Amino acid sequence: LKKDRILSLKVDCDTFEGTQKGIPRLLSIFHEFNVCATFFFTLGPDNSGRAIRRIFTQKGFLKKMLRSKAVSMYGPKTMLYGTLLPAPRIGEKLAEVIRSVEKAGHEVGVHGWDHVRWHDQLDKLTEEQIRRDYGLAHQTFENIFGHRAQSSAAPGWHITPLALKIQEEYGLLYTSNTRNGAPFYPKAGGIKFKTLEIPSTLPTWDEMLGSPDFKSPEDFLNFYGDLPEGVSVHSIHTEVEGMAWADLFRKQMTLWKNSGVKFAALEDIAKELLRNPAEIPGRQIVRIVIPNRGGLITSGTPA
Ligand SMILES: [Zn+2]
């Protein structure tokens, strides 16, 4: 008897345009395939222009970005937010579209306040700054939905012992801050944290779209279609799968559905695991390199 292949789609909403345009498109695709996903929202200022400016300074990166349609992925406005254009507050301006996600039956959680700041500067932020940004994200979430968030996912899979300590105070059901491997209780700085961590297990589309290994869109879809048995967690992005590459993502959903993949929200995976918390291992937090992604990413060591 073949074990089930279960896929959790974790939707990271990073930018104003991705939230505004990518969310409705993804909701319509998920509705078409009758799939529940888990959305994590960035709720503060969109300073993407500051991050995207890096493409003009990083050698080799622009070529990759062009190959993977990055310029159409991040529209002209997004490329200027936080630089020539003021950074729009996503949660304030787009509360209606954000609320529509939960109304459509999906799970909702906190991604962050200022995505660019967390991603680029987390190691340098003081405890007070992290507490403020993380708190603002949760407060805005509660203002929008009328209830507290039960989960959060760190921007750029970037987490530190200090940030874990602050997150722990929120008594969340789980977090999804890291990459690779099975769910675990994070250990860092001599502390074993009590909040369950569920890592993303697959490489993201924006990491793989530029890869010369794929000779055709079919190759690419088959790579992602070939899921291992058990639970896989896949991070997708509103700007990628919900905008520039939405048609290809629809094909991917068709392939998964036709090959018998079952879908589950991350909260369902968490609740199932937490029925036997003693069986969840502790893993030390480390930084790793992920192919085709700049900087260091947080992961757990093998149990
Ligand atoms: Zn993100």
Side-chain angles (χ1 to χ4, degrees):
L1 187 76
K2 201 164 184 288
K3 228 177 130 198
D4 281 342
R5 292 179 301 147
I6 297 164
L7 180 59
S8 252
L9 290 171
K10 165 181 177 278
V11 186
D12 291 353
C13 309
D14 294 358
T15 64
F16 186 88
E17 283 192 291
T19 303
Q20 186 179 41
K21 297 173 189 160
I23 285 178
R25 187 73 198 276
L26 285 175
L27 289 182
S28 108
I29 294 173
F30 293 148
H31 179 75
E32 184 185 344
F33 291 92
N34 192 26
V35 157
C36 272
T38 305
F39 287 69
F40 292 99
F41 304 102
T42 303
L43 295 159
D46 177 0
N47 280 307
S48 312
R50 291 187 195 163
I52 292 166
R53 262 192 321 185
R54 282 192 299 247
I55 70 171
F56 299 109
T57 55
Q58 277 185 14
K59 212 177 150 195
F61 194 52
L62 183 61
K63 216 168 108 190
K64 184 195 158 228
M65 293 290 276
L66 287 172
R67 263 213 308 274
S68 63
K69 275 216 267 191
V71 175
S72 65
M73 214 154 78
Y74 301 102
K77 269 193 191 158
T78 302
M79 298 181 77
L80 298 175
Y81 284 149
T83 58
L84 294 176
L85 291 175
R89 294 261 173 124
I90 301 170
E92 225 169 75
K93 295 234 167 99
L94 299 175
E96 213 41 60
V97 67
I98 291 169
R99 253 193 300 273
S100 75
V101 174
E102 190 177 51
K103 278 191 196 140
H106 300 282
E107 184 194 359
V108 290
V110 163
H111 197 28
W113 180 247
D114 182 335
H115 197 285
V116 172
R117 182 149 98 141
W118 185 284
H119 183 281
D120 289 0
Q121 297 176 41
L122 180 62
D123 289 347
K124 286 180 251 161
L125 298 180
T126 63
E127 177 162 356
E128 198 183 328
Q129 285 172 317
I130 299 171
R131 197 178 291 285
R132 173 188 167 274
D133 278 19
Y134 193 67
L136 278 169
H138 275 273
Q139 186 56 59
T140 307
F141 181 99
E142 196 174 337
N143 294 346
I144 290 171
F145 290 107
H147 62 81
R148 297 177 60 184
Q150 61 170 357
S151 59
S152 74
W157 306 277
H158 204 29
I159 200 76
T160 60
L162 189 53
L164 284 171
K165 183 187 125 184
I166 291 163
Q167 292 189 353
E168 189 93 322
E169 295 163 9
Y170 284 75
L172 303 175
L173 178 66
Y174 72 93
T175 55
S176 187
N177 293 325
T178 66
R179 297 281 297 264
N180 300 349
F184 63 102
Y185 287 114
K187 291 193 282 190
I191 301 168
K192 185 175 174 190
F193 293 95
K194 295 184 186 73
T195 308
L196 170 66
E197 163 63 23
I198 306 179
S200 291
T201 62
L202 302 178
T204 65
W205 270 26
D206 60 314
E207 286 158 6
M208 299 309 276
L209 277 165
S211 167
D213 298 348
F214 304 115
K215 305 284 177 250
S216 67
E218 286 71 33
D219 263 12
F220 183 78
L221 295 181
N222 287 335
F223 169 78
Y224 280 97
D226 186 22
L227 296 176
E229 291 180 351
V231 177
S232 298
V233 179
H234 185 37
S235 285
I236 72 173
H237 291 90
T238 49
E239 302 81 15
V240 182
E241 287 87 342
M243 289 176 70
W245 296 93
D247 291 337
L248 195 66
F249 184 61
R250 233 193 119 264
K251 287 187 186 155
Q252 184 78 78
M253 290 295 296
T254 310
L255 194 73
W256 278 327
K257 270 280 177 176
N258 290 347
S259 65
V261 171
K262 294 183 173 145
F263 292 84
L266 280 171
E267 65 178 332
D268 299 324
I269 307 291
K271 283 173 189 164
E272 183 64 31
L273 288 165
L274 290 167
R275 289 166 63 178
N276 295 302
E279 287 174 19
I280 302 168
R283 291 163 69 190
Q284 197 73 30
I285 289 291
V286 290
R287 296 276 173 89
I288 60 167
V289 173
I290 300 268
N292 305 315
R293 181 168 291 284
L296 290 170
I297 303 295
T298 314
S299 179
T301 53

